[in-house]
Every structure is written in structure tokens, then in C-alpha cells.
mmCIF file of all heavy atoms in Angstrom:
data_model
loop_
_atom_site.group_PDB
_atom_site.id
_atom_site.type_symbol
_atom_site.label_atom_id
_atom_site.label_comp_id
_atom_site.label_asym_id
_atom_site.label_seq_id
_atom_site.Cartn_x
_atom_site.Cartn_y
_atom_site.Cartn_z
ATOM 1 N N ALA A 1 107.929 4.098 15.444
ATOM 2 C CA ALA A 1 108.991 5.004 15.896
ATOM 3 C C ALA A 1 109.383 4.536 17.319
ATOM 4 O O ALA A 1 108.565 3.931 18.015
ATOM 5 C CB ALA A 1 108.492 6.433 15.899
ATOM 6 N N PRO A 2 110.590 4.980 17.743
ATOM 7 C CA PRO A 2 110.993 4.641 19.150
ATOM 8 C C PRO A 2 109.967 5.068 20.164
ATOM 9 O O PRO A 2 109.533 6.245 20.211
ATOM 10 C CB PRO A 2 112.278 5.350 19.324
ATOM 11 C CG PRO A 2 112.791 5.521 17.902
ATOM 12 C CD PRO A 2 111.562 5.693 17.058
ATOM 13 N N GLY A 3 109.575 4.127 21.078
ATOM 14 C CA GLY A 3 108.633 4.458 22.117
ATOM 15 C C GLY A 3 107.237 4.593 21.747
ATOM 16 O O GLY A 3 106.316 4.975 22.516
ATOM 17 N N LYS A 4 106.883 4.281 20.482
ATOM 18 C CA LYS A 4 105.535 4.379 19.962
ATOM 19 C C LYS A 4 105.001 3.069 19.444
ATOM 20 O O LYS A 4 105.789 2.137 19.242
ATOM 21 C CB LYS A 4 105.449 5.453 18.883
ATOM 22 C CG LYS A 4 105.815 6.875 19.351
ATOM 23 C CD LYS A 4 105.491 7.868 18.296
ATOM 24 C CE LYS A 4 105.790 9.346 18.812
ATOM 25 N NZ LYS A 4 105.472 10.377 17.822
ATOM 26 N N GLN A 5 103.665 3.022 19.219
ATOM 27 C CA GLN A 5 103.152 1.744 18.741
ATOM 28 C C GLN A 5 103.369 1.604 17.254
ATOM 29 O O GLN A 5 103.681 2.638 16.569
ATOM 30 C CB GLN A 5 101.584 1.733 19.062
ATOM 31 C CG GLN A 5 100.784 2.777 18.347
ATOM 32 C CD GLN A 5 99.340 2.699 18.711
ATOM 33 O OE1 GLN A 5 98.985 2.164 19.752
ATOM 34 N NE2 GLN A 5 98.454 3.226 17.899
ATOM 35 N N ARG A 6 103.160 0.450 16.771
ATOM 36 C CA ARG A 6 103.246 0.227 15.320
ATOM 37 C C ARG A 6 101.933 0.608 14.641
ATOM 38 O O ARG A 6 100.875 0.188 14.990
ATOM 39 C CB ARG A 6 103.538 -1.252 15.023
ATOM 40 C CG ARG A 6 103.958 -1.582 13.624
ATOM 41 C CD ARG A 6 104.323 -3.035 13.454
ATOM 42 N NE ARG A 6 105.498 -3.369 14.276
ATOM 43 C CZ ARG A 6 106.097 -4.548 14.227
ATOM 44 N NH1 ARG A 6 105.646 -5.514 13.411
ATOM 45 N NH2 ARG A 6 107.177 -4.819 15.005
ATOM 46 N N ASP A 7 102.023 1.557 13.662
ATOM 47 C CA ASP A 7 100.887 2.109 13.025
ATOM 48 C C ASP A 7 100.845 1.796 11.499
ATOM 49 O O ASP A 7 101.941 1.743 10.901
ATOM 50 C CB ASP A 7 100.794 3.596 13.189
ATOM 51 C CG ASP A 7 100.495 3.985 14.629
ATOM 52 O OD1 ASP A 7 99.740 3.301 15.371
ATOM 53 O OD2 ASP A 7 101.093 5.038 15.073
ATOM 54 N N LEU A 8 99.628 1.683 11.005
ATOM 55 C CA LEU A 8 99.513 1.533 9.543
ATOM 56 C C LEU A 8 99.935 2.768 8.802
ATOM 57 O O LEU A 8 99.494 3.898 9.150
ATOM 58 C CB LEU A 8 98.009 1.226 9.201
ATOM 59 C CG LEU A 8 97.647 1.106 7.750
ATOM 60 C CD1 LEU A 8 98.310 -0.140 7.116
ATOM 61 C CD2 LEU A 8 96.169 1.019 7.561
ATOM 62 N N VAL A 9 100.671 2.602 7.739
ATOM 63 C CA VAL A 9 101.093 3.674 6.851
ATOM 64 C C VAL A 9 100.292 3.633 5.571
ATOM 65 O O VAL A 9 99.711 4.642 5.141
ATOM 66 C CB VAL A 9 102.577 3.558 6.484
ATOM 67 C CG1 VAL A 9 102.967 4.728 5.495
ATOM 68 C CG2 VAL A 9 103.445 3.700 7.779
ATOM 69 N N ALA A 10 100.239 2.457 4.933
ATOM 70 C CA ALA A 10 99.500 2.370 3.675
ATOM 71 C C ALA A 10 99.183 0.899 3.406
ATOM 72 O O ALA A 10 99.917 0.033 3.899
ATOM 73 C CB ALA A 10 100.348 2.919 2.486
ATOM 74 N N ARG A 11 98.121 0.657 2.723
ATOM 75 C CA ARG A 11 97.790 -0.774 2.381
ATOM 76 C C ARG A 11 97.275 -0.748 0.927
ATOM 77 O O ARG A 11 96.648 0.223 0.429
ATOM 78 C CB ARG A 11 96.788 -1.382 3.346
ATOM 79 C CG ARG A 11 95.438 -0.638 3.315
ATOM 80 C CD ARG A 11 94.522 -1.368 4.297
ATOM 81 N NE ARG A 11 93.125 -0.810 4.259
ATOM 82 C CZ ARG A 11 92.063 -1.317 4.851
ATOM 83 N NH1 ARG A 11 92.236 -2.440 5.516
ATOM 84 N NH2 ARG A 11 90.935 -0.773 4.752
ATOM 85 N N ILE A 12 97.354 -1.938 0.312
ATOM 86 C CA ILE A 12 96.855 -2.148 -1.043
ATOM 87 C C ILE A 12 96.108 -3.453 -1.070
ATOM 88 O O ILE A 12 96.583 -4.485 -0.617
ATOM 89 C CB ILE A 12 97.926 -2.034 -2.098
ATOM 90 C CG1 ILE A 12 97.399 -2.181 -3.499
ATOM 91 C CG2 ILE A 12 99.037 -3.072 -1.819
ATOM 92 C CD1 ILE A 12 98.408 -1.745 -4.555
ATOM 93 N N ILE A 13 94.836 -3.394 -1.525
ATOM 94 C CA ILE A 13 94.026 -4.569 -1.650
ATOM 95 C C ILE A 13 94.336 -5.299 -2.899
ATOM 96 O O ILE A 13 94.856 -4.705 -3.874
ATOM 97 C CB ILE A 13 92.501 -4.185 -1.522
ATOM 98 C CG1 ILE A 13 92.317 -3.088 -0.433
ATOM 99 C CG2 ILE A 13 91.659 -5.401 -1.291
ATOM 100 C CD1 ILE A 13 92.789 -3.533 0.946
ATOM 101 N N SER A 14 93.962 -6.569 -3.009
ATOM 102 C CA SER A 14 94.252 -7.342 -4.192
ATOM 103 C C SER A 14 93.646 -6.781 -5.441
ATOM 104 O O SER A 14 94.280 -6.895 -6.529
ATOM 105 C CB SER A 14 93.748 -8.757 -4.036
ATOM 106 O OG SER A 14 92.355 -8.810 -3.765
ATOM 107 N N GLY A 15 92.523 -6.082 -5.346
ATOM 108 C CA GLY A 15 91.990 -5.462 -6.562
ATOM 109 C C GLY A 15 92.689 -4.180 -6.963
ATOM 110 O O GLY A 15 92.311 -3.631 -8.042
ATOM 111 N N GLY A 16 93.537 -3.637 -6.148
ATOM 112 C CA GLY A 16 94.333 -2.471 -6.496
ATOM 113 C C GLY A 16 93.987 -1.266 -5.673
ATOM 114 O O GLY A 16 94.726 -0.247 -5.785
ATOM 115 N N SER A 17 92.909 -1.266 -4.915
ATOM 116 C CA SER A 17 92.572 -0.029 -4.188
ATOM 117 C C SER A 17 93.526 0.152 -3.007
ATOM 118 O O SER A 17 94.121 -0.805 -2.557
ATOM 119 C CB SER A 17 91.176 -0.172 -3.612
ATOM 120 O OG SER A 17 91.027 -1.231 -2.754
ATOM 121 N N THR A 18 93.695 1.436 -2.666
ATOM 122 C CA THR A 18 94.730 1.789 -1.662
ATOM 123 C C THR A 18 94.194 2.667 -0.593
ATOM 124 O O THR A 18 93.176 3.364 -0.830
ATOM 125 C CB THR A 18 95.922 2.472 -2.307
ATOM 126 O OG1 THR A 18 95.406 3.666 -3.003
ATOM 127 C CG2 THR A 18 96.656 1.535 -3.325
ATOM 128 N N ASP A 19 94.826 2.576 0.599
ATOM 129 C CA ASP A 19 94.447 3.428 1.705
ATOM 130 C C ASP A 19 95.784 3.983 2.236
ATOM 131 O O ASP A 19 96.758 3.272 2.311
ATOM 132 C CB ASP A 19 93.719 2.715 2.793
ATOM 133 C CG ASP A 19 92.310 2.271 2.426
ATOM 134 O OD1 ASP A 19 91.607 3.223 1.852
ATOM 135 O OD2 ASP A 19 91.938 1.159 2.667
ATOM 136 N N TYR A 20 95.720 5.261 2.784
ATOM 137 C CA TYR A 20 96.934 5.884 3.414
ATOM 138 C C TYR A 20 96.507 6.562 4.729
ATOM 139 O O TYR A 20 95.413 7.120 4.840
ATOM 140 C CB TYR A 20 97.526 6.869 2.471
ATOM 141 C CG TYR A 20 97.972 6.426 1.168
ATOM 142 C CD1 TYR A 20 97.182 6.347 0.053
ATOM 143 C CD2 TYR A 20 99.313 5.905 1.062
ATOM 144 C CE1 TYR A 20 97.629 5.827 -1.149
ATOM 145 C CE2 TYR A 20 99.782 5.453 -0.154
ATOM 146 C CZ TYR A 20 98.903 5.341 -1.241
ATOM 147 O OH TYR A 20 99.364 4.873 -2.457
ATOM 148 N N THR A 21 97.432 6.527 5.619
ATOM 149 C CA THR A 21 97.210 7.332 6.868
ATOM 150 C C THR A 21 97.372 8.782 6.414
ATOM 151 O O THR A 21 98.090 9.165 5.423
ATOM 152 C CB THR A 21 98.194 7.024 7.959
ATOM 153 O OG1 THR A 21 97.840 7.624 9.137
ATOM 154 C CG2 THR A 21 99.615 7.436 7.559
ATOM 155 N N ASP A 22 96.628 9.670 7.114
ATOM 156 C CA ASP A 22 96.521 11.064 6.701
ATOM 157 C C ASP A 22 97.902 11.756 6.593
ATOM 158 O O ASP A 22 98.121 12.552 5.691
ATOM 159 C CB ASP A 22 95.668 11.861 7.701
ATOM 160 C CG ASP A 22 94.152 11.566 7.517
ATOM 161 O OD1 ASP A 22 93.831 10.925 6.486
ATOM 162 O OD2 ASP A 22 93.404 11.861 8.379
ATOM 163 N N SER A 23 98.750 11.441 7.444
ATOM 164 C CA SER A 23 100.082 12.182 7.497
ATOM 165 C C SER A 23 100.949 11.885 6.293
ATOM 166 O O SER A 23 101.894 12.609 6.068
ATOM 167 C CB SER A 23 100.848 11.840 8.776
ATOM 168 O OG SER A 23 101.133 10.411 8.828
ATOM 169 N N VAL A 24 100.674 10.859 5.483
ATOM 170 C CA VAL A 24 101.483 10.523 4.303
ATOM 171 C C VAL A 24 100.766 10.747 3.015
ATOM 172 O O VAL A 24 101.396 10.545 1.956
ATOM 173 C CB VAL A 24 102.098 9.106 4.398
ATOM 174 C CG1 VAL A 24 102.777 8.868 5.736
ATOM 175 C CG2 VAL A 24 101.044 8.032 4.154
ATOM 176 N N LYS A 25 99.489 11.079 3.038
ATOM 177 C CA LYS A 25 98.719 11.255 1.814
ATOM 178 C C LYS A 25 99.409 12.326 1.002
ATOM 179 O O LYS A 25 99.727 13.410 1.407
ATOM 180 C CB LYS A 25 97.299 11.654 2.141
ATOM 181 C CG LYS A 25 96.461 10.436 2.616
ATOM 182 C CD LYS A 25 94.998 10.862 2.964
ATOM 183 C CE LYS A 25 94.194 9.744 3.447
ATOM 184 N NZ LYS A 25 92.842 10.055 3.779
ATOM 185 N N GLY A 26 99.531 12.007 -0.299
ATOM 186 C CA GLY A 26 100.166 12.968 -1.260
ATOM 187 C C GLY A 26 101.649 12.889 -1.316
ATOM 188 O O GLY A 26 102.274 13.501 -2.204
ATOM 189 N N ARG A 27 102.269 12.130 -0.403
ATOM 190 C CA ARG A 27 103.701 11.981 -0.344
ATOM 191 C C ARG A 27 104.155 10.574 -0.589
ATOM 192 O O ARG A 27 105.226 10.314 -1.193
ATOM 193 C CB ARG A 27 104.249 12.514 1.030
ATOM 194 C CG ARG A 27 103.930 13.912 1.353
ATOM 195 C CD ARG A 27 104.667 14.394 2.599
ATOM 196 N NE ARG A 27 104.346 13.605 3.767
ATOM 197 C CZ ARG A 27 105.182 12.964 4.572
ATOM 198 N NH1 ARG A 27 106.484 12.905 4.254
ATOM 199 N NH2 ARG A 27 104.788 12.261 5.628
ATOM 200 N N PHE A 28 103.393 9.550 -0.073
ATOM 201 C CA PHE A 28 103.751 8.197 -0.241
ATOM 202 C C PHE A 28 102.849 7.490 -1.244
ATOM 203 O O PHE A 28 101.657 7.880 -1.308
ATOM 204 C CB PHE A 28 103.647 7.480 1.093
ATOM 205 C CG PHE A 28 104.643 7.881 2.123
ATOM 206 C CD1 PHE A 28 105.504 8.920 1.985
ATOM 207 C CD2 PHE A 28 104.772 7.095 3.320
ATOM 208 C CE1 PHE A 28 106.429 9.302 2.935
ATOM 209 C CE2 PHE A 28 105.713 7.427 4.297
ATOM 210 C CZ PHE A 28 106.520 8.535 4.118
ATOM 211 N N THR A 29 103.376 6.503 -1.886
ATOM 212 C CA THR A 29 102.550 5.731 -2.873
ATOM 213 C C THR A 29 102.917 4.233 -2.645
ATOM 214 O O THR A 29 104.084 3.839 -2.741
ATOM 215 C CB THR A 29 102.868 6.108 -4.257
ATOM 216 O OG1 THR A 29 102.583 7.490 -4.480
ATOM 217 C CG2 THR A 29 101.969 5.287 -5.272
ATOM 218 N N ILE A 30 101.873 3.409 -2.444
ATOM 219 C CA ILE A 30 102.099 2.011 -2.295
ATOM 220 C C ILE A 30 101.698 1.329 -3.640
ATOM 221 O O ILE A 30 100.713 1.792 -4.285
ATOM 222 C CB ILE A 30 101.254 1.423 -1.107
ATOM 223 C CG1 ILE A 30 101.623 -0.023 -0.887
ATOM 224 C CG2 ILE A 30 99.771 1.633 -1.339
ATOM 225 C CD1 ILE A 30 101.011 -0.617 0.395
ATOM 226 N N SER A 31 102.444 0.335 -3.995
ATOM 227 C CA SER A 31 102.049 -0.416 -5.222
ATOM 228 C C SER A 31 102.512 -1.860 -5.092
ATOM 229 O O SER A 31 103.273 -2.151 -4.199
ATOM 230 C CB SER A 31 102.831 0.225 -6.449
ATOM 231 O OG SER A 31 104.189 0.217 -6.323
ATOM 232 N N ARG A 32 101.961 -2.690 -5.905
ATOM 233 C CA ARG A 32 102.369 -4.132 -5.837
ATOM 234 C C ARG A 32 102.610 -4.637 -7.238
ATOM 235 O O ARG A 32 101.882 -4.261 -8.174
ATOM 236 C CB ARG A 32 101.298 -4.943 -5.081
ATOM 237 C CG ARG A 32 99.923 -5.026 -5.699
ATOM 238 C CD ARG A 32 98.877 -5.576 -4.721
ATOM 239 N NE ARG A 32 98.959 -7.014 -4.553
ATOM 240 C CZ ARG A 32 98.296 -7.664 -3.632
ATOM 241 N NH1 ARG A 32 97.392 -7.063 -2.895
ATOM 242 N NH2 ARG A 32 98.451 -9.013 -3.458
ATOM 243 N N ASP A 33 103.604 -5.506 -7.375
ATOM 244 C CA ASP A 33 103.916 -6.139 -8.609
ATOM 245 C C ASP A 33 103.779 -7.672 -8.359
ATOM 246 O O ASP A 33 104.720 -8.267 -7.822
ATOM 247 C CB ASP A 33 105.348 -5.851 -8.993
ATOM 248 C CG ASP A 33 105.685 -6.395 -10.423
ATOM 249 O OD1 ASP A 33 105.070 -7.302 -10.834
ATOM 250 O OD2 ASP A 33 106.652 -5.817 -11.082
ATOM 251 N N ASN A 34 102.660 -8.211 -8.688
ATOM 252 C CA ASN A 34 102.409 -9.595 -8.386
ATOM 253 C C ASN A 34 103.371 -10.566 -9.119
ATOM 254 O O ASN A 34 103.756 -11.560 -8.629
ATOM 255 C CB ASN A 34 100.942 -9.953 -8.770
ATOM 256 C CG ASN A 34 99.945 -9.311 -7.812
ATOM 257 O OD1 ASN A 34 100.269 -8.935 -6.642
ATOM 258 N ND2 ASN A 34 98.753 -9.092 -8.257
ATOM 259 N N ALA A 35 103.811 -10.160 -10.276
ATOM 260 C CA ALA A 35 104.695 -11.006 -11.056
ATOM 261 C C ALA A 35 106.066 -11.049 -10.340
ATOM 262 O O ALA A 35 106.727 -12.124 -10.520
ATOM 263 C CB ALA A 35 104.937 -10.403 -12.496
ATOM 264 N N LYS A 36 106.470 -10.091 -9.608
ATOM 265 C CA LYS A 36 107.682 -10.097 -8.873
ATOM 266 C C LYS A 36 107.500 -10.347 -7.402
ATOM 267 O O LYS A 36 108.471 -10.350 -6.618
ATOM 268 C CB LYS A 36 108.433 -8.755 -9.026
ATOM 269 C CG LYS A 36 108.853 -8.421 -10.454
ATOM 270 C CD LYS A 36 109.618 -7.103 -10.534
ATOM 271 C CE LYS A 36 110.092 -6.839 -11.964
ATOM 272 N NZ LYS A 36 110.849 -5.551 -12.066
ATOM 273 N N ASN A 37 106.301 -10.667 -6.990
ATOM 274 C CA ASN A 37 105.996 -10.930 -5.578
ATOM 275 C C ASN A 37 106.485 -9.843 -4.671
ATOM 276 O O ASN A 37 107.047 -10.118 -3.620
ATOM 277 C CB ASN A 37 106.562 -12.263 -5.159
ATOM 278 C CG ASN A 37 105.915 -13.463 -5.946
ATOM 279 O OD1 ASN A 37 104.806 -13.418 -6.225
ATOM 280 N ND2 ASN A 37 106.729 -14.473 -6.256
ATOM 281 N N THR A 38 106.371 -8.621 -5.125
ATOM 282 C CA THR A 38 106.997 -7.485 -4.365
ATOM 283 C C THR A 38 105.913 -6.374 -4.212
ATOM 284 O O THR A 38 105.134 -6.032 -5.129
ATOM 285 C CB THR A 38 108.193 -6.948 -5.138
ATOM 286 O OG1 THR A 38 109.139 -7.988 -5.240
ATOM 287 C CG2 THR A 38 108.814 -5.775 -4.419
#
């Protein structure tokens, strides 16, 4: 955000496990499609 540092929102490990910052838990979902490199 303007004037703030860059912070982690969500991450996904190659095995599929995920982590979220507390403020987005239950609202945001991270996913990966390896076939589409996305």
C-alpha cells in the first residue's frame, strides 16, 4: 500500500500447502495450476 512496506499476503508450496496473513484468512484463496504455469 502507499507509504507502507511490501507484505506477504499468501503463499503456496509445491506440495500444495498454503499460508495466509491473518487479515485475509477466510476471504482470499491462493491456488496454482502447474499445467498453465499460473
Side-chain angles (χ1 to χ4, degrees):
K4 296 189 176 181
Q5 66 181 22
R6 192 175 298 186
D7 291 324
L8 176 67
V9 176
R11 65 176 183 170
I12 184 165
I13 315 302
S14 58
S17 62
T18 57
D19 291 314
Y20 298 90
T21 191
D22 286 345
S23 62
V24 308
K25 285 180 180 177
R27 300 189 297 123
F28 290 10
T29 303
I30 188 170
S31 61
R32 62 193 288 173
D33 186 336
N34 291 334
K36 295 183 178 180
N37 297 324
T38 300

